[in-house]
Amino acid sequence: MSRIDGRTPDQLRPITIERGWSKHAEGSVLVSFGDTKVFCTASMTEGVPRWRKGSGEGWVTAEYSMLPRSTNTRGDRESVRGKIGGRTHEISRLIGRSLRAVIDYKALGENTVVLDCDVLQADGGTRTAAITGAYVALADAIAWAQGKKLIKAGRQPLTGTVSAVSVGIVGGTPLLDLCYEEDVRAETDMNVVCTGDGRFVEIQGTAEAEPFDRTELDSLLDLAVAGCASLDAAQREALAATL
Amino acid sequence: MSRIDGRTPDQLRPITIERGWSKHAEGSVLVSFGDTKVFCTASMTEGVPRWRKGSGEGWVTAEYSMLPRSTNTRGDRESVRGKIGGRTHEISRLIGRSLRAVIDYKALGENTVVLDCDVLQADGGTRTAAITGAYVALADAIAWAQGKKLIKAGRQPLTGTVSAVSVGIVGGTPLLDLCYEEDVRAETDMNVVCTGDGRFVEIQGTAEAEPFDRTELDSLLDLAVAGCASLDAAQREALAATL
Amino acid sequence: MSRIDGRTPDQLRPITIERGWSKHAEGSVLVSFGDTKVFCTASMTEGVPRWRKGSGEGWVTAEYSMLPRSTNTRGDRESVRGKIGGRTHEISRLIGRSLRAVIDYKALGENTVVLDCDVLQADGGTRTAAITGAYVALADAIAWAQGKKLIKAGRQPLTGTVSAVSVGIVGGTPLLDLCYEEDVRAETDMNVVCTGDGRFVEIQGTAEAEPFDRTELDSLLDLAVAGCASLDAAQREALAATL
Amino acid sequence: MSRIDGRTPDQLRPITIERGWSKHAEGSVLVSFGDTKVFCTASMTEGVPRWRKGSGEGWVTAEYSMLPRSTNTRGDRESVRGKIGGRTHEISRLIGRSLRAVIDYKALGENTVVLDCDVLQADGGTRTAAITGAYVALADAIAWAQGKKLIKAGRQPLTGTVSAVSVGIVGGTPLLDLCYEEDVRAETDMNVVCTGDGRFVEIQGTAEAEPFDRTELDSLLDLAVAGCASLDAAQREALAATL
Amino acid sequence: MSRIDGRTPDQLRPITIERGWSKHAEGSVLVSFGDTKVFCTASMTEGVPRWRKGSGEGWVTAEYSMLPRSTNTRGDRESVRGKIGGRTHEISRLIGRSLRAVIDYKALGENTVVLDCDVLQADGGTRTAAITGAYVALADAIAWAQGKKLIKAGRQPLTGTVSAVSVGIVGGTPLLDLCYEEDVRAETDMNVVCTGDGRFVEIQGTAEAEPFDRTELDSLLDLAVAGCASLDAAQREALAATL
Amino acid sequence: MSRIDGRTPDQLRPITIERGWSKHAEGSVLVSFGDTKVFCTASMTEGVPRWRKGSGEGWVTAEYSMLPRSTNTRGDRESVRGKIGGRTHEISRLIGRSLRAVIDYKALGENTVVLDCDVLQADGGTRTAAITGAYVALADAIAWAQGKKLIKAGRQPLTGTVSAVSVGIVGGTPLLDLCYEEDVRAETDMNVVCTGDGRFVEIQGTAEAEPFDRTELDSLLDLAVAGCASLDAAQREALAATL
């Protein structure tokens, strides 16, 4: 059985990671997972939030947002409604936790990195694309800070790499990296965040229609781990290029 | 190695489920998982939100909140701050999804149930206690509606039962049903929502300190499935009693 | 003429004051006036708001709220609506003023007590139950602070006791401690806050249907003063018990 | 003992009630109680809020606000802070209740009157001046509606007159119509709203420093009733003039 | 062709500038352009916003607002809606910029002046009346500060005078100082802020119906410059009087 | 004297207008004025806001926003702060008015177009780039609607073209299309919106440092009109290409 866009069940969409997309940000990436496009900037500043001052440790946080017409029908701006929706909050927190999983706060020193992930075009998997792209922007911002001596010589705040992918069961078949149409029809939907060494940072699986059993869970995890390995390779390739 | 409160790693805290705690609500429960106490009410009303009118289908949603002094130090009220925090949003959404997983919307008819889960005292596992208690309040509200003929004779909106428990790795050991002190020290923290037949409705695992591997994940899932089976029994026992 | 629930005009509903209802708060009480149940916690912390720093004086404030399904039909959460309603504001301010009336700020020292009064179940008189219960929680918090030496030896921040009750004219008859059904039908409604020595801290009388004259006012005040004396006795009895 | 401004204890400040202060509003008044100046407009529109439609009954409501520099030091605008404070809510509700006490909703028909009371200059007693002035604006709006046949011929929506005054105990002496300096120093502070026939619509008494006893209460009520009688005369005189 | 109110195209409405309208504010003016009436207060305080501290320079800012019934039909209060509308923001910013154009921050020293411009009655040109009146209130506040020695002897923070007027093309004819009815029908609408020496501080021209050409623009600017010269004279006359 | 980036005073920065940047929106453009990049989408839907229903006329509106790191230092998100700033409001309103100036509402029929202009990178002139790009997105959306027969055959809702440019006086020299560094140093700053036939839709000139005289104004207008003619040509060229 072939998928809507002709992929095999274990195949990612075309992945692109373009660095240097902003002249202002310390790190910036336009990441695409097929038609999903997310603009990630990493803003690094000296100093930390008040509750962390004097600790000698840094902080990393993230904010996710969708442009109003990133989706098929236009959504209201959260700034106009005057409050942030639950989904936005949830994804911003997920991105922040995922990146903090590979940060050594002591090595970062009292510096703060804010990752802004703005979805320019959505076609499923915006949060996983955001995490994958934000990692690269973060790496660039840290390299910038090392160049500026904001981070002490010989210290490496990054303890590993991190990427994320969605998996799901559609029509009984486990699939990797769902596009929007697949996502809508999925019986089960899972987002998996892995480090480059194949361990888990976050697993969020939800039965949309029917509860899932242990066997289904295992096949989804297998797909996700393999997918993250490919994303890890794409991140390394992108970072290997000269900016 | 024994736990802070003397439990074995696979042991739940004392669980109590008291029904009929409100004279107003169609279903109401005071659930406790050890010192964690959550007051769950199910409010059933005829009619559905506008986007669902005329569909013949019902709706179930949830709102979670912590009383300001349910925790060790007093927290600000979200009503006073004028906005709901990300954590509150996230948990409210989780509770709603978990209960909807065992609802047949057609059988429910155009009725809405709102589950309010207010934490009176927090000691870890407030969201899992809330799901476990809210299921019982929901069952009572549905029974009430059947008595009132709001639901057609012979229709059963509940397609199963649902309960939830937290698991985590503390000091390298997988533990069931973490209390607050264990939760704070956990390397990995996972909330698992299961149906009574042992399938998964939701899995949310987060590496707090160190990424976790497949073996650790498997042992956590084993603990959680067994814990939910015990909670399922407690729910059935509570519901078997005359109100 | 007997009342809905069989009471005489000058009879309180059954009053219960249960202390020690929270393991976290410095003082905590579940107070009930018949079916009205209010959970009161007193949170004591060192330090005062900025505008009071350096004065050597403490501060006492209160926040009142109703759980969404404390009433017969579910109300929206103020946190979800994003703003606090006028009634909530008004009652929070009343509770705060009432308790401050028996506080010696100098003796309290630069400490702050926040009284949270959350209505679990409403059946009329929630604000008067809240004041009556909050006083007991406050007394426990002050005793706790004296034990912890947060308050200087030999100083007593409490200058008296305070309790509150509602009175009203229903069908031409002055009644004490209105339940919800009576409250709805009252021509005149009054909340009276008294100290233990029978003086007034606050009087708030409102003509709901027909203006009231001086004779009616006097009979309402007589009822209220007697009711507060009984509540004062109940508070003393509760506080006399070992926690 | 003479007062700050030379008045006797039972003397009102100079009262002025200027009608026709707005060319747009159906009724408008600039009322002054000494240096306290409140601009009151009555806006009458056909129709009622949704919850009252089809009842055949009208509605009257009020909004109170202080201009930022109506006070000695500039206050923040509530529109800029994005929320209305408790005091503003409380006073708006008091004004609305006070005016509704003299309204026959049936005679008003399905029309709504909104009273806006904006304090241009504050020197104590802004809420009582607002009630006193708003009554006159309301009377003018009703006369306008009668002229426009919005109200059925022969129906009189006003069932009486209403005015308000503050009283308080300062330095042990009961005083009428406190100015700001007296208000600040008052041991007890009370706002009394009376109908023209000397009955009570609202009594709000607060012990600011020391609880007050029944004798003090009685002397305050005597002062207030006499003060309202004078205000009633001032209102009648103002309304007797040709606009 | 004569105008609605009988004026010639280049004629201002009757202008009045009454100083000393508030006993609290350091400067206060009731300005009227025909039936448009704006109450302007200047509040001067020592100190500047945080971002300006230590600069030795002062700050001037403005807030504009319309009373709910200043217009023909009542508008909602922005405080009740919980947010400030775009038009209010825009006009507040315009007034602030216009007054800052004639301020020497160094001479002002680290003092802040807030201009509050509250529209009591609107009939077109509220923002231009506000700027014209606020200038006079500002001048009075500065004179007050000089008297109090808040401003160093010999320093003059005002570098000139400023006033504003609206112009527009109605039925093909350029007109000065539009009233509301003219404003509604204008093809082009322009607000012009000038210094007393006839130079421009701000020009805001908008084609409401039809784009306008250079010739039309020139005739509008001619009208506006002449109008501002008259307003400048009115300001000087008002300030020449003894307060 | 040459400019920071080597341009002559009357020279635009390199202008690019890329159409078809979104697969979802009915019209979409990435416009750049040098390093200023704005993503403009036009969302067309059937129906109009409530106040316009049944009029047979359409509506066009705009929302402007800056991504948090579009600027040199990161700005807070307006959605996180919970309110939209004055500058954002002002620019959104300007863009909407500018585009409505070339719309025939009757020909548009009861359809609504929302233009979203999100600044990806800012280097001065974001509002003028937004207007210039939004016009092209709007033209594409209208062409789409004509293809879908949402607009009646033979009707052309666009009555002309519109573009915008900034001009300013820097160091005494009038300059066209200011970049950020020039904008910061400008004595006078003006945004001019023109139709393709060289008439004015909007003129907003502000003296930042020193009031400007009529001669300076004239030279700025000359520059702006010439600049808009070039932008008009760029728009036509972009629209001439096959999408």
Side-chain angles (χ1 to χ4, degrees), chain C residues 165-170 173-176 178 187-190 192 200 205-206 212-227, chain D residues 214:
Chain C
V165 77
S166 73
V167 286
I169 300 175
V170 180
T173 308
L175 301 178
L176 177 67
L178 310 186
E187 292 102 50
T188 288
D189 180 20
M190 187 174 300
V192 178
F200 300 106
T206 301
F212 53 100
D213 62 24
R214 190 72 170 260
T215 310
E216 291 169 315
L217 172 59
D218 281 334
S219 62
L220 290 173
L221 291 170
D222 290 343
L223 277 178
V225 168
Chain D
R214 192 72 169 261

mmCIF file of all heavy atoms in Angstrom, chain C residues 165-170 173-176 178 187-190 192 200 205-206 212-227, chain D residues 214:
data_model
loop_
_atom_site.group_PDB
_atom_site.id
_atom_site.type_symbol
_atom_site.label_atom_id
_atom_site.label_comp_id
_atom_site.label_asym_id
_atom_site.label_seq_id
_atom_site.Cartn_x
_atom_site.Cartn_y
_atom_site.Cartn_z
ATOM 1 N N VAL C 165 -22.538 36.730 59.628
ATOM 2 C CA VAL C 165 -23.753 35.987 59.317
ATOM 3 C C VAL C 165 -24.642 36.853 58.416
ATOM 4 O O VAL C 165 -24.531 38.083 58.428
ATOM 5 C CB VAL C 165 -24.485 35.590 60.627
ATOM 6 C CG1 VAL C 165 -25.224 36.770 61.231
ATOM 7 C CG2 VAL C 165 -25.420 34.412 60.396
ATOM 8 N N SER C 166 -25.486 36.183 57.641
ATOM 9 C CA SER C 166 -26.445 36.932 56.830
ATOM 10 C C SER C 166 -27.788 36.958 57.531
ATOM 11 O O SER C 166 -28.141 36.034 58.266
ATOM 12 C CB SER C 166 -26.591 36.291 55.449
ATOM 13 O OG SER C 166 -27.323 35.092 55.544
ATOM 14 N N VAL C 167 -28.516 38.022 57.304
ATOM 15 C CA VAL C 167 -29.898 38.130 57.774
ATOM 16 C C VAL C 167 -30.709 38.722 56.630
ATOM 17 O O VAL C 167 -30.151 39.294 55.698
ATOM 18 C CB VAL C 167 -30.022 39.046 59.025
ATOM 19 C CG1 VAL C 167 -29.485 38.350 60.258
ATOM 20 C CG2 VAL C 167 -29.283 40.370 58.803
ATOM 21 N N GLY C 168 -32.021 38.559 56.704
ATOM 22 C CA GLY C 168 -32.838 39.104 55.618
ATOM 23 C C GLY C 168 -34.306 39.073 55.990
ATOM 24 O O GLY C 168 -34.702 38.400 56.940
ATOM 25 N N ILE C 169 -35.057 39.822 55.185
ATOM 26 C CA ILE C 169 -36.507 39.818 55.389
ATOM 27 C C ILE C 169 -37.126 39.025 54.247
ATOM 28 O O ILE C 169 -36.943 39.360 53.081
ATOM 29 C CB ILE C 169 -37.060 41.252 55.424
ATOM 30 C CG1 ILE C 169 -36.401 42.021 56.574
ATOM 31 C CG2 ILE C 169 -38.583 41.246 55.572
ATOM 32 C CD1 ILE C 169 -36.773 43.486 56.633
ATOM 33 N N VAL C 170 -37.803 37.940 54.612
ATOM 34 C CA VAL C 170 -38.414 37.084 53.606
ATOM 35 C C VAL C 170 -39.910 36.994 53.918
ATOM 36 O O VAL C 170 -40.288 36.587 55.018
ATOM 37 C CB VAL C 170 -37.788 35.668 53.626
ATOM 38 C CG1 VAL C 170 -38.427 34.771 52.560
ATOM 39 C CG2 VAL C 170 -36.281 35.746 53.419
ATOM 40 N N THR C 173 -40.870 38.567 57.166
ATOM 41 C CA THR C 173 -40.292 38.098 58.429
ATOM 42 C C THR C 173 -38.774 38.186 58.414
ATOM 43 O O THR C 173 -38.135 37.673 57.496
ATOM 44 C CB THR C 173 -40.669 36.616 58.654
ATOM 45 O OG1 THR C 173 -42.069 36.481 58.512
ATOM 46 C CG2 THR C 173 -40.213 36.130 60.019
ATOM 47 N N PRO C 174 -38.199 38.786 59.420
ATOM 48 C CA PRO C 174 -36.735 38.811 59.532
ATOM 49 C C PRO C 174 -36.208 37.406 59.884
ATOM 50 O O PRO C 174 -36.720 36.777 60.817
ATOM 51 C CB PRO C 174 -36.469 39.792 60.682
ATOM 52 C CG PRO C 174 -37.738 40.574 60.844
ATOM 53 C CD PRO C 174 -38.847 39.636 60.452
ATOM 54 N N LEU C 175 -35.222 36.953 59.118
ATOM 55 C CA LEU C 175 -34.673 35.603 59.302
ATOM 56 C C LEU C 175 -33.158 35.656 59.445
ATOM 57 O O LEU C 175 -32.494 36.492 58.838
ATOM 58 C CB LEU C 175 -34.998 34.718 58.097
ATOM 59 C CG LEU C 175 -36.466 34.484 57.729
ATOM 60 C CD1 LEU C 175 -36.554 33.608 56.480
ATOM 61 C CD2 LEU C 175 -37.208 33.832 58.897
ATOM 62 N N LEU C 176 -32.635 34.693 60.201
ATOM 63 C CA LEU C 176 -31.178 34.586 60.402
ATOM 64 C C LEU C 176 -30.609 33.528 59.473
ATOM 65 O O LEU C 176 -31.227 32.480 59.256
ATOM 66 C CB LEU C 176 -30.906 34.178 61.864
ATOM 67 C CG LEU C 176 -29.434 33.949 62.258
ATOM 68 C CD1 LEU C 176 -28.638 35.249 62.214
ATOM 69 C CD2 LEU C 176 -29.347 33.336 63.667
ATOM 70 N N LEU C 178 -29.653 32.985 55.981
ATOM 71 C CA LEU C 178 -30.485 32.556 54.859
ATOM 72 C C LEU C 178 -29.812 31.451 54.039
ATOM 73 O O LEU C 178 -28.621 31.540 53.720
ATOM 74 C CB LEU C 178 -30.770 33.735 53.928
ATOM 75 C CG LEU C 178 -31.297 35.021 54.564
ATOM 76 C CD1 LEU C 178 -31.658 36.031 53.472
ATOM 77 C CD2 LEU C 178 -32.487 34.748 55.455
ATOM 78 N N GLU C 187 -36.669 40.153 50.490
ATOM 79 C CA GLU C 187 -36.918 41.557 50.122
ATOM 80 C C GLU C 187 -35.711 42.420 50.487
ATOM 81 O O GLU C 187 -35.397 43.376 49.796
ATOM 82 C CB GLU C 187 -38.147 42.105 50.861
ATOM 83 C CG GLU C 187 -39.461 41.475 50.438
ATOM 84 C CD GLU C 187 -39.929 40.433 51.445
ATOM 85 O OE1 GLU C 187 -39.961 40.718 52.654
ATOM 86 O OE2 GLU C 187 -40.268 39.314 51.000
ATOM 87 N N THR C 188 -35.107 42.060 51.623
ATOM 88 C CA THR C 188 -33.910 42.776 52.060
ATOM 89 C C THR C 188 -32.900 41.746 52.522
ATOM 90 O O THR C 188 -33.264 40.722 53.095
ATOM 91 C CB THR C 188 -34.237 43.724 53.230
ATOM 92 O OG1 THR C 188 -34.980 44.811 52.719
ATOM 93 C CG2 THR C 188 -32.972 44.263 53.892
ATOM 94 N N ASP C 189 -31.651 42.037 52.259
ATOM 95 C CA ASP C 189 -30.582 41.088 52.476
ATOM 96 C C ASP C 189 -29.456 41.849 53.165
ATOM 97 O O ASP C 189 -29.098 42.945 52.722
ATOM 98 C CB ASP C 189 -30.156 40.618 51.075
ATOM 99 C CG ASP C 189 -29.040 39.617 51.107
ATOM 100 O OD1 ASP C 189 -28.826 38.991 52.150
ATOM 101 O OD2 ASP C 189 -28.392 39.466 50.049
ATOM 102 N N MET C 190 -28.926 41.293 54.248
ATOM 103 C CA MET C 190 -27.875 42.018 54.939
ATOM 104 C C MET C 190 -26.797 41.066 55.440
ATOM 105 O O MET C 190 -27.113 39.977 55.917
ATOM 106 C CB MET C 190 -28.480 42.775 56.135
ATOM 107 C CG MET C 190 -27.481 43.707 56.808
ATOM 108 S SD MET C 190 -28.256 44.728 58.120
ATOM 109 C CE MET C 190 -29.474 45.612 57.176
ATOM 110 N N VAL C 192 -23.658 40.887 58.090
ATOM 111 C CA VAL C 192 -23.163 41.602 59.265
ATOM 112 C C VAL C 192 -21.931 40.869 59.793
ATOM 113 O O VAL C 192 -21.950 39.644 59.964
ATOM 114 C CB VAL C 192 -24.251 41.691 60.353
ATOM 115 C CG1 VAL C 192 -23.712 42.394 61.594
ATOM 116 C CG2 VAL C 192 -25.480 42.404 59.814
ATOM 117 N N PHE C 200 -19.702 46.059 65.732
ATOM 118 C CA PHE C 200 -19.789 45.839 64.285
ATOM 119 C C PHE C 200 -18.470 46.132 63.581
ATOM 120 O O PHE C 200 -17.825 47.157 63.850
ATOM 121 C CB PHE C 200 -20.867 46.735 63.665
ATOM 122 C CG PHE C 200 -22.225 46.495 64.234
ATOM 123 C CD1 PHE C 200 -22.807 47.411 65.117
ATOM 124 C CD2 PHE C 200 -22.929 45.342 63.905
ATOM 125 C CE1 PHE C 200 -24.060 47.179 65.644
ATOM 126 C CE2 PHE C 200 -24.189 45.106 64.439
ATOM 127 C CZ PHE C 200 -24.758 46.025 65.317
ATOM 128 N N GLY C 205 -26.218 46.202 53.974
ATOM 129 C CA GLY C 205 -27.620 45.868 53.785
ATOM 130 C C GLY C 205 -28.116 46.393 52.457
ATOM 131 O O GLY C 205 -27.793 47.515 52.071
ATOM 132 N N THR C 206 -28.882 45.591 51.751
ATOM 133 C CA THR C 206 -29.360 45.949 50.425
ATOM 134 C C THR C 206 -30.848 45.643 50.312
ATOM 135 O O THR C 206 -31.268 44.527 50.615
ATOM 136 C CB THR C 206 -28.609 45.117 49.370
ATOM 137 O OG1 THR C 206 -27.219 45.392 49.492
ATOM 138 C CG2 THR C 206 -29.076 45.436 47.966
ATOM 139 N N PHE C 212 -36.228 49.396 52.931
ATOM 140 C CA PHE C 212 -36.574 48.959 54.293
ATOM 141 C C PHE C 212 -36.493 50.141 55.261
ATOM 142 O O PHE C 212 -35.749 51.084 55.047
ATOM 143 C CB PHE C 212 -35.677 47.804 54.759
ATOM 144 C CG PHE C 212 -34.200 48.060 54.658
ATOM 145 C CD1 PHE C 212 -33.452 48.433 55.761
ATOM 146 C CD2 PHE C 212 -33.524 47.894 53.440
ATOM 147 C CE1 PHE C 212 -32.076 48.645 55.669
ATOM 148 C CE2 PHE C 212 -32.160 48.124 53.349
ATOM 149 C CZ PHE C 212 -31.438 48.492 54.455
ATOM 150 N N ASP C 213 -37.284 50.029 56.333
ATOM 151 C CA ASP C 213 -37.305 51.160 57.254
ATOM 152 C C ASP C 213 -36.478 50.856 58.508
ATOM 153 O O ASP C 213 -35.901 49.776 58.646
ATOM 154 C CB ASP C 213 -38.748 51.556 57.609
ATOM 155 C CG ASP C 213 -39.491 50.440 58.313
ATOM 156 O OD1 ASP C 213 -38.844 49.560 58.940
ATOM 157 O OD2 ASP C 213 -40.729 50.441 58.230
ATOM 158 N N ARG C 214 -36.421 51.818 59.388
ATOM 159 C CA ARG C 214 -35.543 51.737 60.550
ATOM 160 C C ARG C 214 -35.929 50.580 61.477
ATOM 161 O O ARG C 214 -35.063 49.918 62.059
ATOM 162 C CB ARG C 214 -35.618 53.082 61.294
ATOM 163 C CG ARG C 214 -34.600 53.269 62.379
ATOM 164 C CD ARG C 214 -33.195 53.477 61.785
ATOM 165 N NE ARG C 214 -32.254 53.889 62.798
ATOM 166 C CZ ARG C 214 -31.866 55.153 63.003
ATOM 167 N NH1 ARG C 214 -32.328 56.131 62.244
ATOM 168 N NH2 ARG C 214 -31.004 55.432 63.953
ATOM 169 N N THR C 215 -37.223 50.315 61.598
ATOM 170 C CA THR C 215 -37.678 49.217 62.463
ATOM 171 C C THR C 215 -37.201 47.868 61.913
ATOM 172 O O THR C 215 -36.715 47.010 62.666
ATOM 173 C CB THR C 215 -39.222 49.220 62.526
ATOM 174 O OG1 THR C 215 -39.654 50.540 62.837
ATOM 175 C CG2 THR C 215 -39.732 48.231 63.573
ATOM 176 N N GLU C 216 -37.352 47.696 60.622
ATOM 177 C CA GLU C 216 -36.883 46.454 60.004
ATOM 178 C C GLU C 216 -35.374 46.308 60.178
ATOM 179 O O GLU C 216 -34.868 45.227 60.495
ATOM 180 C CB GLU C 216 -37.246 46.444 58.517
ATOM 181 C CG GLU C 216 -38.758 46.310 58.288
ATOM 182 C CD GLU C 216 -39.182 46.553 56.853
ATOM 183 O OE1 GLU C 216 -38.709 47.535 56.235
ATOM 184 O OE2 GLU C 216 -40.001 45.761 56.349
ATOM 185 N N LEU C 217 -34.669 47.401 59.954
ATOM 186 C CA LEU C 217 -33.220 47.383 60.138
ATOM 187 C C LEU C 217 -32.856 46.939 61.554
ATOM 188 O O LEU C 217 -31.986 46.085 61.756
ATOM 189 C CB LEU C 217 -32.653 48.783 59.863
ATOM 190 C CG LEU C 217 -31.180 49.009 60.179
ATOM 191 C CD1 LEU C 217 -30.295 48.055 59.382
ATOM 192 C CD2 LEU C 217 -30.775 50.449 59.871
ATOM 193 N N ASP C 218 -33.544 47.496 62.529
ATOM 194 C CA ASP C 218 -33.222 47.156 63.918
ATOM 195 C C ASP C 218 -33.457 45.680 64.209
ATOM 196 O O ASP C 218 -32.652 45.032 64.885
ATOM 197 C CB ASP C 218 -34.038 48.033 64.878
ATOM 198 C CG ASP C 218 -33.433 49.432 65.001
ATOM 199 O OD1 ASP C 218 -32.206 49.560 64.786
ATOM 200 O OD2 ASP C 218 -34.177 50.382 65.284
ATOM 201 N N SER C 219 -34.553 45.125 63.690
ATOM 202 C CA SER C 219 -34.803 43.706 63.973
ATOM 203 C C SER C 219 -33.767 42.824 63.276
ATOM 204 O O SER C 219 -33.361 41.789 63.810
ATOM 205 C CB SER C 219 -36.229 43.321 63.575
ATOM 206 O OG SER C 219 -36.397 43.509 62.195
ATOM 207 N N LEU C 220 -33.306 43.236 62.092
ATOM 208 C CA LEU C 220 -32.256 42.463 61.413
ATOM 209 C C LEU C 220 -30.957 42.510 62.206
ATOM 210 O O LEU C 220 -30.258 41.496 62.356
ATOM 211 C CB LEU C 220 -32.030 42.998 59.987
ATOM 212 C CG LEU C 220 -33.170 42.718 58.996
ATOM 213 C CD1 LEU C 220 -32.913 43.431 57.679
ATOM 214 C CD2 LEU C 220 -33.313 41.206 58.756
ATOM 215 N N LEU C 221 -30.627 43.676 62.708
ATOM 216 C CA LEU C 221 -29.383 43.800 63.473
ATOM 217 C C LEU C 221 -29.433 42.967 64.745
ATOM 218 O O LEU C 221 -28.444 42.351 65.136
ATOM 219 C CB LEU C 221 -29.108 45.272 63.796
ATOM 220 C CG LEU C 221 -28.742 46.136 62.581
ATOM 221 C CD1 LEU C 221 -28.732 47.614 62.961
ATOM 222 C CD2 LEU C 221 -27.379 45.729 62.014
ATOM 223 N N ASP C 222 -30.596 42.934 65.397
ATOM 224 C CA ASP C 222 -30.738 42.109 66.611
ATOM 225 C C ASP C 222 -30.458 40.634 66.298
ATOM 226 O O ASP C 222 -29.715 39.955 67.019
ATOM 227 C CB ASP C 222 -32.170 42.234 67.182
ATOM 228 C CG ASP C 222 -32.431 43.617 67.775
ATOM 229 O OD1 ASP C 222 -31.450 44.354 68.040
ATOM 230 O OD2 ASP C 222 -33.614 43.964 67.947
ATOM 231 N N LEU C 223 -31.076 40.155 65.216
ATOM 232 C CA LEU C 223 -30.850 38.758 64.807
ATOM 233 C C LEU C 223 -29.381 38.494 64.539
ATOM 234 O O LEU C 223 -28.825 37.463 64.944
ATOM 235 C CB LEU C 223 -31.621 38.452 63.522
ATOM 236 C CG LEU C 223 -33.089 38.068 63.606
ATOM 237 C CD1 LEU C 223 -33.630 37.869 62.204
ATOM 238 C CD2 LEU C 223 -33.247 36.769 64.420
ATOM 239 N N ALA C 224 -28.761 39.413 63.810
ATOM 240 C CA ALA C 224 -27.372 39.207 63.384
ATOM 241 C C ALA C 224 -26.435 39.175 64.587
ATOM 242 O O ALA C 224 -25.519 38.345 64.658
ATOM 243 C CB ALA C 224 -26.955 40.308 62.406
ATOM 244 N N VAL C 225 -26.629 40.073 65.513
ATOM 245 C CA VAL C 225 -25.744 40.129 66.681
ATOM 246 C C VAL C 225 -25.844 38.826 67.479
ATOM 247 O O VAL C 225 -24.828 38.254 67.906
ATOM 248 C CB VAL C 225 -26.067 41.365 67.556
ATOM 249 C CG1 VAL C 225 -25.375 41.275 68.907
ATOM 250 C CG2 VAL C 225 -25.647 42.638 66.813
ATOM 251 N N ALA C 226 -27.071 38.324 67.626
ATOM 252 C CA ALA C 226 -27.244 37.052 68.341
ATOM 253 C C ALA C 226 -26.601 35.903 67.566
ATOM 254 O O ALA C 226 -25.943 35.022 68.134
ATOM 255 C CB ALA C 226 -28.743 36.777 68.561
ATOM 256 N N GLY C 227 -26.762 35.902 66.238
ATOM 257 C CA GLY C 227 -26.170 34.848 65.412
ATOM 258 C C GLY C 227 -24.660 34.857 65.514
ATOM 259 O O GLY C 227 -24.018 33.801 65.636
ATOM 260 N N ARG D 214 -23.693 49.861 68.674
ATOM 261 C CA ARG D 214 -25.040 50.161 68.210
ATOM 262 C C ARG D 214 -25.393 51.641 68.354
ATOM 263 O O ARG D 214 -26.065 52.209 67.481
ATOM 264 C CB ARG D 214 -26.036 49.284 69.004
ATOM 265 C CG ARG D 214 -27.442 49.267 68.463
ATOM 266 C CD ARG D 214 -27.530 48.468 67.169
ATOM 267 N NE ARG D 214 -28.902 48.228 66.781
ATOM 268 C CZ ARG D 214 -29.574 47.103 67.005
ATOM 269 N NH1 ARG D 214 -28.984 46.081 67.610
ATOM 270 N NH2 ARG D 214 -30.831 46.977 66.618
#
